[in-house]
Amino acid sequence: MFKTLVNAFKMPDLRKKLLFTLFMLIVFQLGTVVPVPGIEKDALKSLLGIGDASGSLFNLVNILSGNAMQNASIFAMSITPYVNSSIIMQLLAVAIPALERLSKEGEEGRKVIAKWTRYGTVILAFIQAAGLYISLSNSGALELTGIIGFITITLSFTAGTAFLMWIGEQITEKGIGNGISVIIFAGIVTSGPQLIASFWVQLQTNWIIAVLTLILCLAVVVFVVMINDAERRIPVQYAKRVVGRKMYGGQNSHIPFKVSMAGVIPIIFASSILSFPATIARLFSTNQPAWISNFMTSPLYAILYFLLIIFFTFFYTAMMYNPIEMANNIKGNGGFIPGIRPGKPTSDYITKTMNKVTVIGSVAIALIAVLPILMSQGNISVSFGGTSLLILVGVAIETYRQLESQMIMRNYKGFLD
């Protein structure tokens, strides 16, 4: 990887892309310490339960935002409204035929959906900012109140999210990697010094547990890489056909089904539902009920978390992939799966294969997400989360492959030379 980066810096255009991405990430880091006027930072951190074991959803938002939430900065809500808006648009594209047709119209259709996603991001960001303002006002954590305070604070949070969305789009267009993913990656990496400090403290108190925890972290990273790269390929053979004076087809291809087709979306859905009681309690009361804290640290929470991840993996996969449509596309292009008849038998075979792959992927993702919770049940302190590891490894691999593909494209001389 380091050799690839060094070689990339030797190419002027790639060096320009890398430096542009780095500059945008520096702007993002600077924005995480720019405070929103009229908010008491310590009161906000205490109200939302950031840094404790309450299970509040704001802990996850704080990690993804690079500690911007606990700093009460303009980037406090991170890019989560954009992620939520994108997921909503994907689900609506499956449920609404007009949006489904629009998504299949190529580049122009994707531009329209991207525009609506931006509008949805701003609306969701304003709603979240308004809810956050109301909770802060009820707890007495605001120095600036009234209509002026409401406008200033809500618009500051909303503008911060919109600016982050713009930074992500600029990185995607002029930099390296997917901009939104790179921003989330940078936010998680920001907590690296804190993780190293906590590991150092643990190493001095109980070095055996610290070393075992480090080995386990490395093993989990290797496991995540394997799950991220694993895929099941269904072979497809295209029959030869004559169109005019030319012959088409006759080649072999395959349909790849990745083991982690849903990525971290099931984890986000499951954690959002399970942390909903704690989040509501934090918004409307400064004193969280004891039963919520007990539930968040109980084995029942880990079991429900595991089952919900599996359920949402199947749900999201079923919403995003249509075996009947895939079978019709294969048949329409003159292809067939060897040993399987076209039509319904093909769609049934694809469904059966996809379900098997989804079972493996959902269990693997659920184990990664639940592992830190299980270790905490044994009084073993861990400073990593399954969601963070999945995002870090996935974004790193995706960015590295994009960088490597661009280098191969530029080094390929072709037949003329």
Side-chain angles (χ1 to χ4, degrees):
M1 178 178 291
F2 294 105
K3 184 178 179 181
T4 303
L5 290 175
V6 171
N7 293 333
F9 263 96
K10 295 179 181 179
M11 301 180 181
D13 52 345
L14 287 182
R15 181 170 62 247
K16 184 178 180 180
K17 289 178 177 289
L18 289 172
L19 292 177
F20 179 83
T21 303
L22 181 61
F23 173 74
M24 285 298 178
L25 293 181
I26 292 175
V27 173
F28 163 65
Q29 290 299 321
L30 291 176
T32 58
V33 294
V34 177
V36 174
I39 298 179
E40 296 181 8
K41 184 170 63 175
D42 295 335
L44 172 67
K45 185 177 179 180
S46 175
L47 171 67
L48 302 182
I50 297 174
D52 59 20
S54 64
S56 172
L57 182 62
F58 297 107
N59 278 308
L60 177 60
V61 177
N62 183 61
I63 294 174
L64 298 181
S65 64
N67 297 325
M69 176 67 78
Q70 69 180 22
N71 295 330
S73 78
I74 57 175
F75 292 161
M77 294 190 302
S78 184
I79 205 67
T80 50
Y82 180 85
V83 176
N84 295 333
S85 179
S86 300
I87 294 174
I88 291 173
M89 289 301 300
Q90 289 180 9
L91 297 178
L92 289 178
V94 177
I96 301 177
L99 280 178
E100 185 178 4
R101 291 193 299 268
L102 188 63
S103 63
K104 296 178 180 179
E105 290 182 359
E107 186 65 25
E108 293 300 322
R110 285 191 292 269
K111 286 182 179 179
V112 174
I113 293 179
K115 182 177 66 174
W116 290 352
T117 303
R118 297 189 195 103
Y119 293 155
T121 300
V122 175
I123 294 173
L124 290 177
F126 181 78
I127 294 174
Q128 293 182 23
L132 192 58
Y133 172 84
I134 294 173
S135 62
L136 290 173
S137 178
N138 293 335
S139 63
L142 294 180
E143 299 175 349
L144 188 62
T145 57
I147 187 65
I148 300 299
F150 176 80
I151 294 176
T152 302
I153 294 175
T154 55
L155 291 186
S156 296
F157 283 136
T158 305
T161 299
F163 184 62
L164 267 184
M165 178 177 61
W166 179 82
I167 290 178
E169 292 179 349
Q170 294 300 308
I171 292 176
T172 302
E173 181 180 354
K174 302 178 182 179
I176 294 293
N178 181 280
I180 304 300
S181 301
V182 171
I183 289 176
I184 297 176
F185 179 90
I188 297 175
V189 170
T190 303
S191 59
Q194 298 178 2
L195 298 180
I196 295 175
S198 63
F199 174 76
W200 179 254
V201 172
Q202 191 179 42
L203 188 64
Q204 292 178 331
T205 56
N206 193 336
W207 67 272
I208 297 178
I209 298 296
V211 172
L212 291 177
T213 303
L214 179 61
I215 294 174
L216 181 62
C217 289
L218 295 177
V220 171
V221 170
V222 173
F223 182 69
V224 171
V225 173
M226 293 174 58
I227 292 298
N228 190 77
D229 289 343
E231 63 182 22
R232 167 72 164 88
R233 297 180 177 180
I234 298 179
V236 178
Q237 186 173 348
Y238 291 92
K240 294 182 179 179
R241 53 179 179 165
V242 178
V243 180
R245 297 183 178 181
K246 295 184 179 181
M247 180 176 293
Y248 295 91
Q251 73 270 20
N252 297 325
S253 182
H254 64 269
I255 303 174
F257 284 106
K258 294 184 69 65
V259 173
S260 59
M261 286 186 286
V264 297
I265 292 178
I267 298 180
I268 295 175
F269 282 172
S271 60
S272 299
I273 290 178
L274 289 179
S275 61
F276 185 75
T279 303
I280 295 300
R282 285 290 181 183
L283 289 176
F284 293 97
S285 175
T286 55
N287 297 322
Q288 182 170 265
W291 68 269
I292 293 181
S293 300
N294 295 333
F295 170 71
M296 292 297 178
T297 56
S298 65
L300 178 61
Y301 177 84
I303 295 174
L304 290 177
Y305 193 32
F306 185 88
L307 295 177
L308 281 175
I309 291 175
I310 294 178
F311 169 76
F312 281 118
T313 302
F314 274 92
F315 173 77
Y316 186 81
T317 303
M319 292 292 290
M320 292 295 104
Y321 298 92
N322 188 348
I324 298 178
E325 183 179 350
M326 297 172 67
N328 292 333
N329 290 335
I330 293 174
K331 182 179 178 180
N333 292 322
F336 63 93
I337 299 175
I340 307 297
R341 290 185 301 172
K344 190 177 185 301
T346 298
S347 65
D348 292 341
Y349 179 79
I350 293 176
T351 302
K352 183 179 179 180
T353 304
M354 188 169 62
N355 289 336
K356 290 180 180 179
V357 174
T358 304
V359 168
I360 299 174
S362 61
V363 172
I365 293 174
L367 286 175
I368 295 171
V370 174
L371 181 61
I373 303 175
L374 297 178
M375 293 181 65
S376 64
Q377 295 294 322
N379 295 325
I380 300 177
S381 177
V382 292
S383 54
F384 65 91
T387 307
S388 300
L389 279 179
L390 286 169
I391 294 174
L392 288 176
V393 174
V395 175
I397 293 177
E398 178 187 358
T399 306
Y400 173 75
R401 285 178 176 171
Q402 182 176 343
L403 183 62
E404 196 173 39
S405 64
Q406 292 195 22
M407 290 183 59
I408 293 175
M409 180 178 64
R410 284 162 175 76
N411 287 328
Y412 180 69
K413 296 182 179 179
F415 295 104
L416 297 179
D417 295 335

